[in-house]
Amino acid sequence: MSFGLLYSNIRTATFLFDKKYDPPQAESFASKTLYMGCDDMSFIKSEKLKFEYIRRDENGNVDSINKAIDEVDLDIEKGQFIAILGSNGSGKSTLAKHINALLTPADGTMWINGNDTKDAEKLKNIRQSVGMVFQNPDNQIIGSIVEEDVGFGPENIGVPTKEIWNRVDDALEKVDMNDFRLKSPNKLSGGQKQRVAIAGVLAMKPQCIVLDEPTAMLDPQGRRDVIDTITKLNKTDNITIILVTHYMEEVVNADRVIVLNKGKIVMQDTPRGIFSQIEKLESFNLDVPEVTKVANMLSKSGLEISDGILTVEELADEIMAAKKVRIC
């Protein structure tokens, strides 16, 4: 199997686990009780989630253990836009892969729409509910023509032909790539390829899309196009968005920002609340949007500027208001 096909099969929920997969023990009564007591609005929920990467030597002995996720509790409602920030090695990509059950907990529990990810019988439901978009779109695109690539997933799970084309039309329209449907993906820009990858996920009709640093390989215009696309999908189609990124400007429209450090959640708030704590963010080797930096510098120089400025428009309004106060 080619690398591209492997990723495509992940996207289309054509389970990577064959009959040789050794399913974990059924969830305990205690974990069932925990979820039954949860808010019915929770679409993604975890309790004391842990995951470790174990490195072994050539003889199979444990050489080192890296605790990537350390007792993480999540509670995300359907339709929310959640951004996950963290420096390299913080565990954000590992956490993202738990939401699609590409990884399962070493300890603790992760539920997706009421399904325990450790229950092998629930994998189909989970992966049909949650689609993933990865950093490199070339690893997810395998069709020679855009529309064929978008339709590959539904075809692979037996969707009727007429419905496949309806889904392709709808998905390409939503990511603004309909004019490129007969083009070769190889002729597209990085941003356009990523939007095709998102369309391929949309064609599977997920309730949630997890994007693991989807703009890392794109130029500024490509990044803006991708972020605009997922923001529109969240607002107009109520699709739950989980965005993993290290670009601070990309999270300003999120409902909530989660900051990870060494596998733990160390901050969790609205974008404004997060970016109001510049020094704390810097202690975790994270930055703030450029406009927030400028606002902070102006505030330190004596202008009355509010904390957590997120846009140029907000800063302009604050400067005008501060000047009026000074004139009065």
Side-chain angles (χ1 to χ4, degrees):
M1 180 183 289
S2 70
F3 192 58
L5 185 55
L6 173 62
Y7 269 80
S8 180
N9 282 346
I10 291 173
R11 183 186 74 192
T12 59
T14 317
F15 324 115
L16 297 180
F17 300 90
D18 60 17
K19 293 180 181 179
K20 296 179 182 179
Y21 174 67
D22 183 18
Q25 293 295 319
E27 60 188 355
S28 66
F29 175 78
S31 67
K32 288 181 180 178
T33 304
L34 278 170
Y35 187 77
M36 288 171 66
C38 295
D39 185 341
D40 289 340
M41 293 295 289
S42 297
F43 181 71
I44 299 167
K45 186 168 182 67
S46 69
E47 294 273 1
K48 304 295 183 183
L49 184 68
K50 293 184 180 180
F51 186 82
E52 298 172 337
Y53 290 107
I54 301 176
R55 179 178 296 176
R56 300 180 183 274
D57 61 23
E58 56 186 13
N59 296 318
N61 300 314
V62 176
D63 186 44
S64 63
I65 298 177
N66 174 31
K67 190 175 288 186
I69 300 293
D70 190 6
E71 296 196 350
V72 165
D73 294 337
L74 289 177
D75 195 344
I76 298 171
E77 297 176 5
K78 189 175 294 184
Q80 286 191 312
F81 184 161
I82 305 297
I84 301 177
L85 300 178
S87 59
N88 290 337
S90 63
K92 56 187 187 293
S93 290
T94 300
L95 180 59
K97 289 172 184 173
H98 276 80
I99 297 174
N100 186 249
L102 293 180
L103 296 175
T104 53
D107 197 7
T109 310
M110 170 73 82
W111 295 277
I112 307 298
N113 205 19
N115 298 302
D116 187 338
T117 61
K118 289 185 289 189
D119 185 345
E121 295 182 357
K122 302 295 186 182
L123 290 178
K124 179 178 180 180
N125 290 337
I126 291 169
R127 294 194 180 132
Q128 287 182 336
S129 296
V130 182
M132 283 203 73
V133 176
F134 296 92
Q135 187 178 108
N136 188 348
D138 289 328
N139 291 338
Q140 288 187 259
I141 295 176
I142 63 169
S144 58
I145 298 175
V146 166
E147 64 178 19
E148 291 179 355
D149 184 82
V150 174
F152 175 83
E155 182 181 24
N156 213 27
I157 59 171
V159 175
T161 301
K162 184 177 180 180
E163 174 62 17
I164 290 174
W165 287 114
N166 288 338
R167 292 190 184 192
V168 169
D169 293 343
D170 185 55
L172 288 173
E173 186 68 30
K174 286 178 177 177
V175 301
D176 197 23
M177 287 295 291
N178 204 38
D179 291 342
F180 299 87
R181 62 185 305 145
L182 298 180
K183 301 287 187 181
S184 166
N186 295 328
K187 303 295 184 181
L188 303 179
S189 68
Q192 290 169 335
K193 287 180 181 179
Q194 198 62 287
R195 282 189 282 156
V196 170
I198 294 171
V201 172
L202 282 176
M204 298 299 294
K205 298 292 184 181
Q207 298 178 63
C208 172
I209 301 178
V210 180
L211 302 103
D212 188 6
E213 301 198 34
T215 64
M217 303 178 68
L218 307 183
D219 59 29
Q221 183 59 52
R223 285 169 46 198
R224 283 191 293 272
D225 290 343
V226 169
I227 297 303
D228 288 347
T229 295
I230 63 174
T231 301
K232 182 175 71 172
L233 291 173
N234 174 250
K235 302 303 180 188
T236 62
D237 293 88
N238 201 40
I239 294 176
T240 305
I241 297 293
I242 311 296
L243 173 65
V244 175
T245 184
H246 59 267
Y247 290 116
M248 303 299 112
E249 291 82 1
E250 294 181 355
V251 311
V252 297
N253 292 318
D255 296 311
R256 180 156 42 109
V257 177
I258 296 171
V259 179
L260 289 178
N261 186 59
K262 297 180 180 178
K264 290 181 176 291
I265 294 179
V266 292
M267 298 176 72
Q268 190 167 186
D269 205 339
T270 62
R272 196 177 306 282
I274 291 292
F275 294 133
S276 295
Q277 305 175 65
I278 296 177
E279 291 183 359
K280 189 172 182 179
L281 279 171
E282 289 176 344
S283 73
F284 300 126
N285 297 315
L286 294 175
D287 213 337
V288 297
E290 288 299 320
V291 67
T292 309
K293 282 185 184 178
V294 173
N296 186 55
M297 291 170 59
L298 291 173
S299 178
K300 288 182 176 179
S301 71
L303 277 180
E304 293 185 10
I305 302 291
S306 302
D307 291 335
I309 295 295
L310 299 178
T311 67
V312 173
E313 291 76 15
E314 284 183 354
L315 180 56
D317 289 343
E318 289 279 331
I319 292 173
M320 293 299 295
K323 283 185 176 181
K324 287 181 181 179
V325 170
R326 286 192 170 189
I327 291 172
C328 293

